[in-house]
């Protein structure tokens, strides 16, 4: 563990807590309950991630995170536990309603952006944009779970074809999901679809995606937000 992480760990053990410090993505570690109190130290994303892994953080009543108490007999950590950040994510139900579900906000670039706020303290992404990104990701996973699509063109419905029972086999479901992904990417528009694909489907970190597309730093967030707004409109998420 790095020097800043060791120091932060000591402050957490003394009753410190972590809060978002500014729109630049830094974190403030404060002693005491007052958000207006001067930060004992400022953490960057790498240090914060190190603390998420060890000693582990949990949500603090009133906002922010505090140290997660170690169990008396700690079990072996489950796979994927490091980097877990408990929170809520907006998802769209089959009937079109938006609901909040508990989720690991540290598991994807969209989850990372969902925790970010602008200079005025407003969430960077709207619930509709987050839900649209999640729907696209799930459809992409379903599309990849079936047989190779290059071998499934015979499953396409044919005009005038009869005798279908209406039952969807696993391969058909994957093909239907692939169609939905293709339609969604088309709705994003040529200017944003590639960037949306990199972030939502491939899970590419936004900073690396910006490098891939030759964008200046933070420009990708605006491009992604534009694409997700079009995607939410396509899905009719309000």
């Amino acid at each position: 563990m790095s020097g800043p992480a060791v120091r932060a760990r000591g402050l957490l053990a003394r009753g410190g807590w972590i809060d978002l410090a500014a729109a630049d993505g830094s974190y403030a570690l404060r002693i005491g309950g007052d958000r207006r109190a001067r930060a004992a130290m400022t953490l960057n994303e790498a240090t914060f991630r190190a603390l998420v892994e060890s000693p582990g953080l949990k949500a603090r009543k009133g906002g922010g995170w505090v140290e997660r108490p170690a169990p008396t007999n700690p079990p072996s950590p489950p796979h994927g536990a490091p980097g877990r950040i408990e929170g809520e994510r907006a998802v769209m139900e089959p009937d079109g309603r938006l609901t909040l579900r508990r989720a690991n906000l540290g598991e994807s670039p969209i989850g990372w952006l969902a925790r970010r706020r602008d200079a005025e303290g407003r969430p960077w992404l709207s619930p509709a944009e987050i839900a649209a990104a999640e729907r696209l990701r799930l459809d992409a996973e379903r599309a990849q779970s079936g047989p190779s699509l290059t071998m499934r063109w015979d499953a396409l419905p044919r005009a005038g074809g009869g005798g279908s029972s209406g039952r969807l086999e696993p391969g058909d479901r994957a093909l239907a999901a692939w169609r939905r992904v293709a339609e969604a990417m088309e709705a994003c528009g040529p200017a944003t679809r590639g960037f949306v694909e990199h972030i939502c489907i491939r899970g590419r970190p936004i900073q690396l995606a910006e490098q891939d597309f030759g964008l200046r730093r933070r420009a990708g967030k605006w491009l992604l937000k534009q694409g997700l707004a079009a995607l939410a409109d396509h899905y009719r998420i309000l």
Side-chain angles (χ1 to χ4, degrees):
M1 184 175 287
S2 66
V6 171
R7 182 187 171 202
R9 186 174 184 177
L11 292 173
L12 286 171
R14 289 165 43 192
W17 62 285
I18 298 174
D19 190 21
L20 283 174
D24 63 358
S26 62
Y27 302 83
L29 198 160
R30 310 180 196 278
I31 303 295
D34 192 349
R35 287 181 181 274
R36 295 170 297 181
R38 183 176 180 180
M41 66 179 298
T42 301
L43 315 178
N44 59 22
E45 185 72 22
T47 302
F48 176 73
R49 292 282 177 174
L51 293 174
V52 168
E53 180 174 352
S54 177
L57 303 175
K58 67 175 183 178
R60 169 182 175 270
K61 185 177 181 180
W65 302 272
V66 295
E67 181 179 10
R68 183 182 296 277
T72 305
N73 296 308
S76 299
H79 293 296
R84 184 171 187 84
I85 301 174
E86 297 290 343
E88 291 183 328
R89 175 174 295 143
V91 298
M92 191 175 74
E93 301 293 350
D95 61 3
R97 293 181 298 108
L98 277 180
T99 59
L100 292 178
R101 293 184 182 176
R102 293 200 61 78
N104 175 15
L105 299 183
E107 65 186 2
S108 69
I110 293 297
W112 184 83
L113 282 174
R115 294 185 288 112
R116 292 298 184 268
R117 295 180 178 273
D118 62 18
E120 298 180 3
R122 297 171 301 190
W124 182 261
L125 295 178
S126 71
E129 290 163 350
I130 297 170
E134 181 67 7
R135 179 167 174 178
L136 177 61
R137 183 186 68 82
L138 291 175
D139 269 342
E141 288 182 356
R142 294 187 184 108
Q144 294 167 9
S145 66
S148 174
L149 292 178
T150 60
M151 304 296 292
R152 293 291 297 165
W153 295 120
D154 59 327
L156 285 171
R158 302 182 185 278
S164 174
S165 63
R167 178 182 176 185
L168 284 177
E169 298 298 331
D172 298 320
R173 295 190 183 97
L175 187 58
W178 178 83
R179 287 175 179 150
R180 292 195 297 271
V181 171
E183 291 170 355
M185 298 309 300
E186 185 70 21
C188 288
T192 64
R193 69 167 65 108
F195 203 81
V196 170
E197 177 190 347
H198 268 57
I199 301 299
C200 298
I201 298 179
R202 300 187 184 183
R204 188 84 165 150
I206 192 165
Q207 294 88 349
L208 295 182
E210 287 173 336
Q211 295 176 16
D212 294 341
F213 282 82
L215 299 173
R216 65 181 185 279
R217 188 180 178 188
R218 297 190 179 91
K221 290 197 298 185
W222 291 104
L223 193 63
L224 177 65
K225 186 173 178 66
Q226 180 183 348
L228 292 182
L231 198 60
D233 185 63
H234 167 71
Y235 288 139
R236 299 181 180 179
I237 304 176
L238 302 178

